[in-house]
Amino acid sequence: MMEAGLSFFVGIIGNVVSVLVFLSPIGTFRRIVKNKSTEDFQSLPYVCTLLNSSLWTYYGISKPGGLLVATVNGFGIFVEAVYVALFLVHAPRNMRVKTGILVGVLDVGFLAAAIVVTQLALEGETRIGAIGLMGSGLNIIMYGSPLAAMKTVVRTKRVEYMPFFLSFFLFLNGGIWAFYALLVHDFFLGVPNGIGFLLGTAQLLLYAIYKNAKPSNHSGTLEGLMEQGWQKEPLISPLQ
């Protein structure tokens, strides 16, 4: 009983942190709306995060006791759908077409196929395991973004490529959800969030090492470097 109460409390904290992470790109989209242009931003991180949130919502709905996972990712679906819609409105025609194709293939086609197959061909724990495996796999693939950012920081000695608060929330979000997964004995939640916690820790260590380092020569304004940093991060934590 005590463990159930603790897991619920930790899950609520995880939800709050995850909501903050989902909302972290608001500054980027404020700029997009103000300038009526997506500039050099890419839509793939938002499209993938929308798929990721959808899979984890499905997982939370399918698994007994998965309410906290379903609710926060349901919020994520709404937020990421707004981001994608704004991107479609303000992107140039070629990028709009590319984004539309990505949405159709990943967020509609792949998600619909995953739901239909798991509903018709699988049941019980096997269905839950298959959904969790897809969500975890996508999480791990999406970790290519923070790894790329870390490599860039080491190469350029510029932490602008790796905004502190995104690194901090990757660390915090991963740690909280990994602890929650441990409490509820959920392997599919635990593995990707454990990886997120370790990557967040590594990013914070890099930030401490390079925040006062003399940067290597690099063209572009500081504002431009900051925006590139946002794009190199998982624009919301891929893990809940």
Side-chain angles (χ1 to χ4, degrees):
M1 189 71 169
M2 183 182 230
E3 185 173 304
L6 178 59
S7 64
F8 183 78
F9 177 71
V10 172
I12 291 295
I13 295 175
N15 273 17
V16 172
V17 173
S18 294
V19 166
L20 294 176
V21 180
F22 277 124
L23 296 176
S24 62
I26 281 181
T28 296
F29 279 91
R30 188 180 295 119
R31 170 174 168 168
I32 288 174
V33 172
K34 180 181 178 181
N35 296 337
K36 299 187 184 327
S37 171
T38 56
E39 302 174 22
D40 292 327
F41 294 113
Q42 299 297 314
S43 60
L44 184 60
Y46 311 100
V47 173
C48 287
T49 305
L50 177 56
L51 174 60
N52 187 71
S53 296
S54 300
L55 287 172
W56 283 113
T57 300
Y58 182 34
Y59 178 81
I61 292 171
S62 301
K63 181 177 180 177
L67 176 64
L68 292 175
V69 175
T71 52
V72 72
N73 282 285
F75 175 78
I77 291 174
F78 170 75
V79 172
E80 295 301 326
V82 171
Y83 292 157
V84 170
L86 288 174
F87 205 97
L88 286 169
V89 169
H90 296 290
R93 187 177 183 282
N94 62 334
M95 179 59 74
R96 194 177 302 141
V97 171
K98 176 184 173 182
T99 301
I101 293 173
L102 285 172
V103 170
V105 171
L106 296 177
D107 296 326
V108 178
F110 180 84
L111 179 64
I115 293 173
V116 169
V117 170
T118 53
Q119 286 293 323
L120 296 180
L122 305 173
E123 59 182 27
E125 290 299 319
T126 304
R127 176 189 298 162
I128 294 170
I131 302 167
L133 189 61
M134 286 187 287
S136 297
L138 181 58
N139 284 166
I140 293 170
I141 292 172
M142 290 173 72
Y143 278 132
S145 294
L147 284 173
M150 292 166 68
K151 179 181 178 181
T152 304
V153 168
V154 173
R155 178 171 54 83
T156 64
K157 296 182 170 56
R158 299 191 73 124
V159 293
E160 291 93 342
Y161 284 104
M162 194 174 64
F164 173 79
F165 283 107
L166 282 180
S167 299
F168 175 72
F169 277 115
L170 178 62
F171 162 81
L172 187 62
N173 194 64
I176 290 172
W177 283 105
F179 183 43
Y180 174 82
L182 183 66
L183 291 173
V184 298
H185 311 292
D186 192 319
F187 173 81
F188 296 111
L189 280 175
V191 170
N193 282 290
I195 294 173
F197 173 72
L198 293 175
L199 282 176
T201 302
Q203 286 190 341
L204 292 177
L205 289 173
L206 280 181
Y207 195 92
I209 292 170
Y210 289 111
K211 67 177 180 178
N212 296 319
K214 182 179 179 181
S216 60
N217 292 331
H218 188 90
S219 60
T221 63
L222 178 60
E223 181 182 8
L225 294 174
M226 285 293 289
E227 295 297 348
Q228 289 179 44
W230 283 95
Q231 283 284 293
K232 285 181 178 294
E233 290 288 342
L235 293 181
I236 113 37
S237 163
L239 5 156
Q240 321 311 332

